[in-house]
Amino acid sequence: MERVLTVNAIYNYTPMRLLSGTSGVIPGIDTPQRQLILDHHQETRTITQSASIDLNYGITERLGAEITIPYKWRTHRHIDGIGEDGPNGEGESTSFSSDGLGDMRVGLKYNVLPTIRSMVVLGFGMYLPTGVTNANDSTGALMEPTTQLGRGQVGLNPTLYQSYELIPHRLNEFFMASYRHTFRNNKGYQFGDMWELNGGFNLVTVPWLVLSSQLNYRYMVHDNFSSSLWRSATPADAPDFPGEPVVIDPNIKNRAVPTTGSTWLGFTPGFQVSLAGIVDSPWTRMTSLYFYSSIPIARDSNNSLAQGTSYVFGITRKFQLLTPS
């Protein structure tokens, strides 16, 4: 909408845990030493919470600008130093907790098909490396890139959104697709490309209540680390067990991180409530609340942690800043 500012305040809760049949034993990523150490620690759990402000402004009827500012809280626990620490090389329980700014996103959107019943919106966004990347664990060691709040480098994010009113003002379908490419950061780490496909339906039950259901698919490519290659010590290395990791290839090369990359398919039901339909006042007009829950259907996390059922709460408020010309 031209010259309308839409403000979204969003809270997201995302737990990650091990799937049955997986061990959670993954490589250690030592960015200061540029070492990828196979079988170096065992994942336990991660909980990520975020509170974001998302601002959308209609420059014209077709062109809009968007900025998203996230603040994150993350707790993580794993067994570190397998083959190296502990009397039997079992490793040491290590925890991590951090909060701060995440990577901000700025972008433009253009509606290429504005009709009464349908729209097709093309977007292009950029993630800025504003997120925290220097948080330490409970032992004072720098945590690995995948547990930091930011990725440490610029990311490109083209998007596509389509919707069509199957029953005018009653039922519409929608489809969303996005791609994210993040460049290699200064620590030699590059997060894998991510593809997302989402599609579903919105049903207006009464004027103030919209029910929603959608399917979400996410595919993530292996991360890549510019490093030498090592492995954790094993009992076969006795008497040097427990002991220091064993070098496999001392050369610094771009290497795929084997237990990164994943696929995720989920079902997301939710609802949106227009507050003006319940209590009409200047504060409730153009204001709505919404809630969604993403429930996993199928997951493959490459022996690492997998996303569990997550929750999103939000409030949206529109402001007409200027009268359209």
Side-chain angles (χ1 to χ4, degrees), residues 264-290:
W264 192 87
L265 176 66
F267 171 64
T268 303
F271 63 86
Q272 180 173 321
V273 175
S274 174
L275 295 185
I278 302 175
V279 178
D280 186 22
S281 73
W283 289 102
T284 58
R285 292 168 197 159
M286 301 179 71
T287 304
S288 59
L289 301 174
Y290 57 88

mmCIF file of all heavy atoms in Angstrom, residues 264-290:
data_model
loop_
_atom_site.group_PDB
_atom_site.id
_atom_site.type_symbol
_atom_site.label_atom_id
_atom_site.label_comp_id
_atom_site.label_asym_id
_atom_site.label_seq_id
_atom_site.Cartn_x
_atom_site.Cartn_y
_atom_site.Cartn_z
ATOM 1 N N TRP A 264 14.252 -30.161 5.740
ATOM 2 C CA TRP A 264 13.200 -30.030 6.762
ATOM 3 C C TRP A 264 11.864 -29.798 6.066
ATOM 4 O O TRP A 264 11.755 -28.946 5.181
ATOM 5 C CB TRP A 264 13.514 -28.857 7.678
ATOM 6 C CG TRP A 264 12.686 -28.789 8.926
ATOM 7 C CD1 TRP A 264 12.939 -29.407 10.118
ATOM 8 C CD2 TRP A 264 11.473 -28.058 9.132
ATOM 9 N NE1 TRP A 264 11.972 -29.093 11.045
ATOM 10 C CE2 TRP A 264 11.055 -28.274 10.466
ATOM 11 C CE3 TRP A 264 10.699 -27.230 8.312
ATOM 12 C CZ2 TRP A 264 9.901 -27.712 10.998
ATOM 13 C CZ3 TRP A 264 9.543 -26.664 8.835
ATOM 14 C CH2 TRP A 264 9.156 -26.898 10.166
ATOM 15 N N LEU A 265 10.866 -30.585 6.428
ATOM 16 C CA LEU A 265 9.499 -30.409 5.938
ATOM 17 C C LEU A 265 8.586 -30.300 7.136
ATOM 18 O O LEU A 265 8.627 -31.157 8.038
ATOM 19 C CB LEU A 265 9.078 -31.585 5.062
ATOM 20 C CG LEU A 265 7.629 -31.555 4.558
ATOM 21 C CD1 LEU A 265 7.415 -30.391 3.595
ATOM 22 C CD2 LEU A 265 7.264 -32.887 3.878
ATOM 23 N N GLY A 266 7.788 -29.241 7.170
ATOM 24 C CA GLY A 266 6.919 -29.024 8.315
ATOM 25 C C GLY A 266 5.535 -28.552 7.920
ATOM 26 O O GLY A 266 5.318 -28.046 6.809
ATOM 27 N N PHE A 267 4.598 -28.739 8.833
ATOM 28 C CA PHE A 267 3.227 -28.244 8.687
ATOM 29 C C PHE A 267 3.032 -27.109 9.679
ATOM 30 O O PHE A 267 3.360 -27.248 10.864
ATOM 31 C CB PHE A 267 2.223 -29.358 8.954
ATOM 32 C CG PHE A 267 0.796 -28.876 9.024
ATOM 33 C CD1 PHE A 267 0.179 -28.314 7.921
ATOM 34 C CD2 PHE A 267 0.083 -28.977 10.209
ATOM 35 C CE1 PHE A 267 -1.140 -27.860 7.987
ATOM 36 C CE2 PHE A 267 -1.229 -28.533 10.288
ATOM 37 C CZ PHE A 267 -1.841 -27.974 9.178
ATOM 38 N N THR A 268 2.522 -25.985 9.200
ATOM 39 C CA THR A 268 2.396 -24.798 10.043
ATOM 40 C C THR A 268 0.957 -24.290 10.052
ATOM 41 O O THR A 268 0.522 -23.615 9.117
ATOM 42 C CB THR A 268 3.340 -23.680 9.554
ATOM 43 O OG1 THR A 268 4.673 -24.161 9.540
ATOM 44 C CG2 THR A 268 3.249 -22.456 10.458
ATOM 45 N N PRO A 269 0.191 -24.602 11.085
ATOM 46 C CA PRO A 269 -1.125 -23.994 11.259
ATOM 47 C C PRO A 269 -0.992 -22.687 12.042
ATOM 48 O O PRO A 269 -0.011 -22.475 12.767
ATOM 49 C CB PRO A 269 -1.879 -25.041 12.069
ATOM 50 C CG PRO A 269 -0.812 -25.686 12.906
ATOM 51 C CD PRO A 269 0.456 -25.658 12.080
ATOM 52 N N GLY A 270 -1.988 -21.828 11.900
ATOM 53 C CA GLY A 270 -1.947 -20.568 12.639
ATOM 54 C C GLY A 270 -3.221 -19.767 12.455
ATOM 55 O O GLY A 270 -4.156 -20.194 11.772
ATOM 56 N N PHE A 271 -3.241 -18.602 13.074
ATOM 57 C CA PHE A 271 -4.406 -17.722 12.942
ATOM 58 C C PHE A 271 -3.972 -16.275 13.094
ATOM 59 O O PHE A 271 -2.902 -15.971 13.657
ATOM 60 C CB PHE A 271 -5.478 -18.059 13.988
ATOM 61 C CG PHE A 271 -5.044 -17.865 15.414
ATOM 62 C CD1 PHE A 271 -5.159 -16.619 16.033
ATOM 63 C CD2 PHE A 271 -4.523 -18.913 16.145
ATOM 64 C CE1 PHE A 271 -4.762 -16.423 17.345
ATOM 65 C CE2 PHE A 271 -4.120 -18.737 17.457
ATOM 66 C CZ PHE A 271 -4.240 -17.492 18.058
ATOM 67 N N GLN A 272 -4.814 -15.390 12.581
ATOM 68 C CA GLN A 272 -4.610 -13.950 12.715
ATOM 69 C C GLN A 272 -5.903 -13.306 13.169
ATOM 70 O O GLN A 272 -6.977 -13.602 12.636
ATOM 71 C CB GLN A 272 -4.150 -13.349 11.384
ATOM 72 C CG GLN A 272 -3.922 -11.841 11.445
ATOM 73 C CD GLN A 272 -3.312 -11.311 10.153
ATOM 74 O OE1 GLN A 272 -2.466 -11.943 9.550
ATOM 75 N NE2 GLN A 272 -3.765 -10.141 9.734
ATOM 76 N N VAL A 273 -5.813 -12.437 14.166
ATOM 77 C CA VAL A 273 -6.992 -11.771 14.743
ATOM 78 C C VAL A 273 -6.884 -10.275 14.518
ATOM 79 O O VAL A 273 -5.871 -9.653 14.885
ATOM 80 C CB VAL A 273 -7.103 -12.056 16.258
ATOM 81 C CG1 VAL A 273 -8.253 -11.278 16.871
ATOM 82 C CG2 VAL A 273 -7.274 -13.549 16.501
ATOM 83 N N SER A 274 -7.892 -9.691 13.897
ATOM 84 C CA SER A 274 -7.965 -8.243 13.749
ATOM 85 C C SER A 274 -8.597 -7.647 14.998
ATOM 86 O O SER A 274 -9.759 -7.936 15.314
ATOM 87 C CB SER A 274 -8.797 -7.879 12.515
ATOM 88 O OG SER A 274 -8.988 -6.487 12.428
ATOM 89 N N LEU A 275 -7.843 -6.838 15.727
ATOM 90 C CA LEU A 275 -8.336 -6.332 17.012
ATOM 91 C C LEU A 275 -9.526 -5.406 16.860
ATOM 92 O O LEU A 275 -10.382 -5.336 17.739
ATOM 93 C CB LEU A 275 -7.197 -5.613 17.735
ATOM 94 C CG LEU A 275 -6.015 -6.474 18.154
ATOM 95 C CD1 LEU A 275 -5.021 -5.654 18.968
ATOM 96 C CD2 LEU A 275 -6.467 -7.696 18.946
ATOM 97 N N ALA A 276 -9.608 -4.696 15.731
ATOM 98 C CA ALA A 276 -10.733 -3.779 15.531
ATOM 99 C C ALA A 276 -12.053 -4.528 15.426
ATOM 100 O O ALA A 276 -13.122 -3.959 15.697
ATOM 101 C CB ALA A 276 -10.504 -2.927 14.283
ATOM 102 N N GLY A 277 -11.992 -5.796 15.016
ATOM 103 C CA GLY A 277 -13.213 -6.593 14.941
ATOM 104 C C GLY A 277 -13.725 -7.016 16.295
ATOM 105 O O GLY A 277 -14.871 -7.449 16.416
ATOM 106 N N ILE A 278 -12.886 -6.893 17.325
ATOM 107 C CA ILE A 278 -13.289 -7.252 18.678
ATOM 108 C C ILE A 278 -13.596 -6.006 19.505
ATOM 109 O O ILE A 278 -14.644 -5.910 20.156
ATOM 110 C CB ILE A 278 -12.181 -8.080 19.355
ATOM 111 C CG1 ILE A 278 -11.896 -9.349 18.527
ATOM 112 C CG2 ILE A 278 -12.566 -8.439 20.777
ATOM 113 C CD1 ILE A 278 -10.745 -10.159 19.058
ATOM 114 N N VAL A 279 -12.656 -5.047 19.477
ATOM 115 C CA VAL A 279 -12.836 -3.777 20.181
ATOM 116 C C VAL A 279 -12.450 -2.653 19.210
ATOM 117 O O VAL A 279 -11.283 -2.546 18.822
ATOM 118 C CB VAL A 279 -11.955 -3.695 21.447
ATOM 119 C CG1 VAL A 279 -12.144 -2.338 22.124
ATOM 120 C CG2 VAL A 279 -12.276 -4.831 22.404
ATOM 121 N N ASP A 280 -13.404 -1.857 18.817
ATOM 122 C CA ASP A 280 -13.138 -0.787 17.856
ATOM 123 C C ASP A 280 -12.656 0.464 18.584
ATOM 124 O O ASP A 280 -13.360 1.030 19.422
ATOM 125 C CB ASP A 280 -14.400 -0.474 17.054
ATOM 126 C CG ASP A 280 -14.129 0.526 15.935
ATOM 127 O OD1 ASP A 280 -12.961 0.647 15.531
ATOM 128 O OD2 ASP A 280 -15.080 1.187 15.471
ATOM 129 N N SER A 281 -11.427 0.869 18.295
ATOM 130 C CA SER A 281 -10.857 2.072 18.889
ATOM 131 C C SER A 281 -9.748 2.561 17.970
ATOM 132 O O SER A 281 -9.280 1.819 17.094
ATOM 133 C CB SER A 281 -10.300 1.775 20.284
ATOM 134 O OG SER A 281 -9.105 1.026 20.185
ATOM 135 N N PRO A 282 -9.283 3.807 18.145
ATOM 136 C CA PRO A 282 -8.159 4.282 17.308
ATOM 137 C C PRO A 282 -6.909 3.431 17.424
ATOM 138 O O PRO A 282 -6.124 3.349 16.485
ATOM 139 C CB PRO A 282 -7.928 5.704 17.848
ATOM 140 C CG PRO A 282 -9.239 6.123 18.426
ATOM 141 C CD PRO A 282 -9.826 4.875 19.011
ATOM 142 N N TRP A 283 -6.692 2.782 18.577
ATOM 143 C CA TRP A 283 -5.489 1.975 18.777
ATOM 144 C C TRP A 283 -5.606 0.596 18.150
ATOM 145 O O TRP A 283 -4.599 -0.017 17.805
ATOM 146 C CB TRP A 283 -5.187 1.849 20.270
ATOM 147 C CG TRP A 283 -4.709 3.133 20.874
ATOM 148 C CD1 TRP A 283 -5.436 4.004 21.640
ATOM 149 C CD2 TRP A 283 -3.405 3.712 20.749
ATOM 150 N NE1 TRP A 283 -4.669 5.079 21.993
ATOM 151 C CE2 TRP A 283 -3.421 4.935 21.463
ATOM 152 C CE3 TRP A 283 -2.232 3.317 20.111
ATOM 153 C CZ2 TRP A 283 -2.309 5.762 21.554
ATOM 154 C CZ3 TRP A 283 -1.121 4.145 20.189
ATOM 155 C CH2 TRP A 283 -1.166 5.352 20.907
ATOM 156 N N THR A 284 -6.834 0.069 18.030
ATOM 157 C CA THR A 284 -6.993 -1.283 17.492
ATOM 158 C C THR A 284 -7.199 -1.301 15.982
ATOM 159 O O THR A 284 -7.014 -2.341 15.358
ATOM 160 C CB THR A 284 -8.183 -1.992 18.164
ATOM 161 O OG1 THR A 284 -9.371 -1.221 17.956
ATOM 162 C CG2 THR A 284 -7.929 -2.164 19.653
ATOM 163 N N ARG A 285 -7.585 -0.179 15.397
ATOM 164 C CA ARG A 285 -7.760 -0.149 13.946
ATOM 165 C C ARG A 285 -6.432 -0.357 13.240
ATOM 166 O O ARG A 285 -5.418 0.171 13.648
ATOM 167 C CB ARG A 285 -8.397 1.173 13.513
ATOM 168 C CG ARG A 285 -9.842 1.322 13.965
ATOM 169 C CD ARG A 285 -10.349 2.741 13.785
ATOM 170 N NE ARG A 285 -11.558 2.967 14.577
ATOM 171 C CZ ARG A 285 -11.995 4.155 14.947
ATOM 172 N NH1 ARG A 285 -11.327 5.238 14.588
ATOM 173 N NH2 ARG A 285 -13.104 4.265 15.652
ATOM 174 N N MET A 286 -6.449 -1.167 12.206
ATOM 175 C CA MET A 286 -5.253 -1.516 11.432
ATOM 176 C C MET A 286 -4.219 -2.244 12.290
ATOM 177 O O MET A 286 -3.016 -2.207 12.024
ATOM 178 C CB MET A 286 -4.631 -0.266 10.788
ATOM 179 C CG MET A 286 -5.569 0.478 9.862
ATOM 180 S SD MET A 286 -4.830 1.961 9.124
ATOM 181 C CE MET A 286 -3.654 1.231 7.977
ATOM 182 N N THR A 287 -4.701 -2.949 13.342
ATOM 183 C CA THR A 287 -3.822 -3.707 14.220
ATOM 184 C C THR A 287 -4.300 -5.154 14.293
ATOM 185 O O THR A 287 -5.494 -5.411 14.424
ATOM 186 C CB THR A 287 -3.795 -3.112 15.636
ATOM 187 O OG1 THR A 287 -3.413 -1.743 15.567
ATOM 188 C CG2 THR A 287 -2.821 -3.866 16.531
ATOM 189 N N SER A 288 -3.382 -6.095 14.209
ATOM 190 C CA SER A 288 -3.743 -7.504 14.291
ATOM 191 C C SER A 288 -2.689 -8.287 15.064
ATOM 192 O O SER A 288 -1.517 -7.897 15.130
ATOM 193 C CB SER A 288 -3.926 -8.106 12.891
ATOM 194 O OG SER A 288 -2.735 -7.991 12.135
ATOM 195 N N LEU A 289 -3.125 -9.385 15.648
ATOM 196 C CA LEU A 289 -2.252 -10.332 16.339
ATOM 197 C C LEU A 289 -2.236 -11.640 15.560
ATOM 198 O O LEU A 289 -3.233 -11.994 14.930
ATOM 199 C CB LEU A 289 -2.752 -10.597 17.760
ATOM 200 C CG LEU A 289 -2.881 -9.410 18.712
ATOM 201 C CD1 LEU A 289 -3.526 -9.871 20.015
ATOM 202 C CD2 LEU A 289 -1.524 -8.786 18.975
ATOM 203 N N TYR A 290 -1.110 -12.370 15.626
ATOM 204 C CA TYR A 290 -1.071 -13.658 14.945
ATOM 205 C C TYR A 290 -0.194 -14.642 15.707
ATOM 206 O O TYR A 290 0.653 -14.265 16.517
ATOM 207 C CB TYR A 290 -0.585 -13.513 13.498
ATOM 208 C CG TYR A 290 0.760 -12.865 13.334
ATOM 209 C CD1 TYR A 290 1.938 -13.608 13.357
ATOM 210 C CD2 TYR A 290 0.871 -11.486 13.126
ATOM 211 C CE1 TYR A 290 3.169 -13.008 13.189
ATOM 212 C CE2 TYR A 290 2.095 -10.872 12.957
ATOM 213 C CZ TYR A 290 3.240 -11.644 12.986
ATOM 214 O OH TYR A 290 4.467 -11.047 12.819
#
